[in-house]
Amino acid sequence: MTNLSVVDVRRRLPVAVGSAGEKTASDLLRLAHNLASQLPSSPNAQQVAVLCLDRYYFAAAVLGVWLAGHTVALPPNDKPAMLASIQATQSLLAVWGDGQNSADVDVRNCAELRADAPPFAAFPAARLAARVYSSGTTGSPVAYEKTFAQLLGEAEVLANLLGLLGATVLPTVAAQHIYGFLVGVLAPLISGGAFVRETPLYPGHILEAAAAVKATVLVSVPAHLKGLAVRAAEAPLSEFSVRRIVSSGAPLPRETGESLKQQLGVQVVELFGSTETGGIAQRSPGALDWAPLPGVQITTARALGRSDFFEDQLFVQSVFTGHTGWFATGDRVELSKGGTFLHKSRSDRVGKVGGKRVDLGALEHLLAAVPGVEEVAVLGLRAPPPRDVELVSVLVAPGVSIESLREALLQVFDPVAVPRRWRFVQQLPRQALGKVARAELEALFDPNTEAPVLGVTCETRTCLASKEGSAFTFSIFAPKQAWFFRGHFEGDPLMPAVVQINDVVLPHIARSFGNLGSLRHAQRLKFKRPIRPGELLTLELQRPNAEMMVHFELLAGEHKCSSGTLLFGDLGV
């Protein structure tokens, strides 16, 4: 059975680093024993919620709970309503924090106490170590129980797989999440490494934190890595200490992985799993197929003869699931030679629209393949009979028309599968682990929502092109919730001139004529009529004689709103 005895061996070496100060293994053990002494002994294990944001105090609190013979509770957030909901179903012995949340005990107050720190004994494999809570689709907390065999066993597998021996790990994922807990806390402790106490989220802060402690492993999610790739491309680094990047929570866009390798010289290893199953597989840089983790077996419902599931539904068998025998996941896969698999979609994303089965994951996959589409989410919203479900889509797709998206879907799907409403945003809203936040997406289609939401941008609906390809006409809708109407002006919202150029004209020029280089100069710009929320606009573009200039006119009905000539080309040309 895996234990944390390596922490005893390395008592004088750092286990926590960062701007809050360096702490050794001896410091960690002493605080953990101090905290354990604050809990009453009980023949029956009770649960203690740990909300510490500082990873050092979080680790000490977790170890303290375990040393006292109790179970760690990891709520998805520290809101009083969430804690009350957990308290109502599984009573909490205490709520521990580090002064940054609504806890009833501040673990920092125990730091100055003195206590012996005897060596760690191996924790019983079958004993309940933690309950990890998720909010679930209804908002009620759902508990997933983890034994020491599951938690410490998986942490050891990941530490070996990722080469964390003696590594300094910088996580951008909170330790309350199972991924951040395993790879950001337990795996470094087991492998004799160190973790960074803080959790930077923004590209600049991530780079600063990595440089300050010379981090060698970055543990992150696609949303953070995408921003990091953009930041690194804009301001190349002369030195970057990180030698491995780990990503999980959502698929990493291939272009993001390639950019990180090019800009930072680091490849990304992806992890695939879930709270209920534990780790399932890993994917090496550039690969499409997933390879099962050591000790994990995979198969499908078809191979097991399970007609009560989708034929291609994934089943796993491992100690990480906490179940004996095969465990059904919510994923649909295609098994490949050599024991790997290709992930297709979620089985819980198949619904009936007008009596016909529609795979929302397949819709997203096809839409994502349309040139210009960067991110996409398809939702099924409740609708009156006989349709019952209305399909809608939210996209990050500057300059892509709804018409072209519909045409792409109709080549494969029946008309009933084509989304009826569309929203274009600057980025999809995501949770801490990179998963799309469904509630925020649904808010985009709420007819009672008047306030700007999620950076909604203009919707390109139709496109007409001249035979010579020198002129294009677009039909563009300006939603009432668009971000640029907020505060400009109070009581009389207008589309700012800079938005007309940057968010309407320039993306459609790029879509029509390709990369013309940088915008160098604007001539004869005129803004004659305000553009109001909810107006349907017409954008006319002309590029005479293949020159590096484009004339534009933006109209609302027959009224000309703005016009001008934009000159392009690299400087000095």
Side-chain angles (χ1 to χ4, degrees), residues 138-404:
T138 63
S140 300
V142 179
Y144 298 99
E145 296 186 341
K146 301 292 181 180
T147 64
F148 281 106
Q150 290 172 265
L151 273 182
L152 299 185
E154 185 173 354
E156 184 177 38
V157 167
L158 293 174
N160 294 331
L161 177 72
L162 300 173
L164 299 186
L165 180 63
T168 299
V169 179
L170 170 60
T172 72
V173 185
Q176 279 78 11
H177 295 282
I178 188 65
Y179 167 47
F181 186 22
L182 283 167
V183 190
V185 176
L186 292 180
L189 287 178
I190 283 176
S191 60
F195 49 73
V196 179
R197 300 175 63 171
E198 297 79 25
T199 307
L201 302 179
Y202 301 104
H205 296 163
I206 294 172
L207 294 175
E208 290 174 5
V213 300
K214 292 183 171 51
T216 54
V217 176
L218 175 64
V219 175
S220 193
V221 294
H224 297 166
L225 294 177
K226 184 177 180 180
L228 184 63
V230 173
R231 167 66 172 74
E234 293 175 346
L237 301 178
S238 58
E239 184 178 350
F240 190 55
S241 60
V242 170
R243 294 294 173 260
R244 177 161 298 170
I245 297 177
V246 185
S247 178
S248 189
L252 180 74
R254 175 164 291 195
E255 57 271 19
T256 298
E258 292 174 350
S259 178
L260 289 169
K261 181 180 179 181
Q262 180 180 356
Q263 302 298 332
L264 300 177
V266 186
Q267 293 186 323
V268 182
V269 176
E270 292 184 79
L271 298 178
F272 173 70
S274 66
T275 305
E276 57 268 35
T277 64
I280 296 176
Q282 64 90 20
R283 183 163 63 179
S284 57
L288 295 177
D289 279 14
W290 293 90
L293 296 176
V296 177
Q297 295 177 283
I298 62 169
T299 189
T300 60
R302 182 190 300 111
L304 294 175
R306 297 292 300 269
S307 59
D308 49 337
F309 292 89
F310 291 104
E311 286 189 344
D312 55 359
Q313 194 157 341
L314 177 67
F315 279 70
V316 299
Q317 185 172 256
S318 78
V319 68
F320 307 148
T321 67
H323 297 265
T324 57
W326 291 103
F327 183 85
T329 74
D331 300 282
R332 301 175 68 180
V333 302
E334 179 181 329
L335 297 183
S336 307
K337 293 181 179 180
T340 61
F341 65 90
L342 182 68
H343 188 267
K344 295 164 61 177
S345 66
R346 291 282 298 178
S347 61
D348 55 6
R349 303 207 65 224
V350 176
K352 284 191 174 181
V353 182
K356 293 188 176 182
R357 294 169 64 88
V358 178
D359 188 333
L360 305 190
L363 291 178
E364 290 179 347
H365 182 74
L366 194 152
L367 288 173
V370 174
V373 175
E374 299 176 10
E375 291 186 291
V376 59
V378 176
L379 307 176
L381 304 181
R382 290 184 180 180
R387 197 172 185 88
D388 296 324
V389 173
E390 179 188 32
L391 296 183
V392 298
S393 182
V394 183
L395 304 99
V396 179
V400 179
S401 70
I402 294 176
E403 183 181 56
S404 63

Side-chain angles (χ1 to χ4, degrees), residues 408-430:
L409 291 177
L410 288 172
Q411 293 179 19
V412 179
F413 297 97
D414 291 335
V416 71
V418 177
R420 296 171 66 88
R421 289 191 286 167
W422 308 75
R423 293 291 183 269
F424 292 79
V425 298
Q426 293 177 311
Q427 62 182 20
L428 294 185
R430 296 188 179 275

